[in-house]
Amino acid sequence: MNKSAMIEKLKDYLPEKRIKHSLNVAKAAIKISEQTGCDKEKAEIASILHDAAKYVKLADVQSYCDKYNIVLDDMEKKSTALSHSILGAYIAKYEFGVDDEEILNAIRYHTTGKPNMTPLEETIYLSDLIEEGRNYPGVDSLRELAYSGKIDEALANLLDSSIINVLKKKAVLHLRSVEARNYYVEKVKKMEKAASLERK
Ligand SMILES: [Fe+2]
Ligand SMILES: [Fe+2]
């Protein structure tokens, strides 16, 4: 299926505003792919489809799991905020014909992130949160970091703030988010240490 057919089909899954978000994510992802070096075409497809399961209701999650043999963990079972990214990977595969594992994993991990993400996973995680429709305090400096290639710094900051948001909402915090956050915070610290040693 080509990209415009995907966007057309997506109308059966998402309201217009969510499709607009997905297309904004694609725009951001194309820009960020210049910094991460990931495949632009894959970044576009992953962006278009990343939220395909966003409007699946909690009561309907189990039927998708039965249909596609999806195994959710206990945290994902309780929260569509978490499960939509997992279900989305299966919908992309079985309903949109995407069989590229790299694209599917970028969809799968777009909500929690994970330690040591691939360039494509990093690109989608970032683009989802800094696309042009997003408007929250600090988003401009995050855009600046990401678009200037400071990918690890942008990820460390965004993972911190998305964990804070989850806590504020009293929502389920997935352990993978914590692991991702620790990984990127540690990575940035190491890079800063190496840079300061170099300066000495
Ligand atoms: Fe999402
Ligand atoms: Fe999204």
Side-chain angles (χ1 to χ4, degrees):
M1 195 183 300
N2 66 29
K3 281 177 286 182
S4 44
M6 281 179 185
I7 295 167
E8 200 45 46
K9 186 174 163 76
L10 206 53
K11 290 179 185 164
D12 297 337
Y13 295 74
L14 299 176
E16 210 182 306
K17 67 164 200 225
R18 185 60 54 174
I19 293 180
K20 175 101 174 76
H21 159 69
S22 306
L23 297 178
N24 283 344
V25 174
K27 251 201 243 172
I30 289 170
K31 237 164 122 178
I32 295 175
S33 70
E34 310 224 327
Q35 304 296 338
T36 58
C38 73
D39 186 284
K40 266 197 184 82
E41 187 70 18
K42 290 188 186 187
E44 246 188 301
I45 293 170
S47 301
I48 291 167
L49 298 179
H50 82 286
D51 270 342
K54 187 77 182 177
Y55 285 75
V56 173
K57 294 191 185 76
L58 191 61
D60 298 327
V61 168
Q62 192 55 46
S63 67
Y64 277 91
C65 292
D66 295 343
K67 192 170 173 193
Y68 296 133
N69 262 324
I70 305 170
V71 180
L72 297 177
D73 66 31
D74 288 341
M75 291 170 270
E76 289 156 355
K77 275 180 198 158
K78 287 180 200 147
S79 153
T80 53
L82 291 171
S83 62
H84 83 275
S85 53
I86 313 289
L87 261 53
Y90 287 87
I91 288 176
K93 182 171 180 169
Y94 293 114
E95 299 180 20
F96 287 81
V98 175
D99 53 16
D100 184 298
E101 273 305 314
E102 222 197 330
I103 296 176
L104 298 176
N105 279 334
I107 297 173
R108 182 187 305 268
Y109 297 114
H110 86 263
T111 307
T112 58
K114 70 179 181 65
N116 199 13
M117 287 184 266
T118 65
L120 184 65
E121 288 162 358
E122 293 182 341
T123 301
I124 301 306
Y125 183 87
L126 286 174
S127 304
D128 187 25
L129 298 173
I130 65 166
E131 56 94 346
E132 64 189 45
R134 297 279 194 190
N135 186 13
Y136 53 86
V139 68
D140 283 329
S141 55
L142 289 164
R143 287 184 182 122
E144 237 174 80
L145 284 176
Y147 294 143
S148 68
K150 294 191 170 132
I151 299 301
D152 296 311
E153 287 91 332
L155 283 166
N157 288 339
L158 269 169
L159 284 157
D160 264 357
S161 58
S162 63
I163 288 174
I164 291 168
N165 283 336
V166 170
L167 298 182
K168 277 188 188 155
K169 282 191 217 155
K170 303 254 182 258
V172 182
L173 174 61
H174 200 283
L175 295 181
R176 201 160 50 235
S177 304
V178 179
E179 288 165 357
R181 181 265 173 194
N182 288 346
Y183 175 88
Y184 284 97
V185 167
E186 232 3 71
K187 190 174 177 192
V188 169
K189 266 193 209 154
K190 273 187 204 150
M191 281 162 35
E192 283 168 358
K193 205 168 163 194
S196 83
L197 283 175
E198 238 170 65
R199 280 197 298 272
K200 276 179 190 161

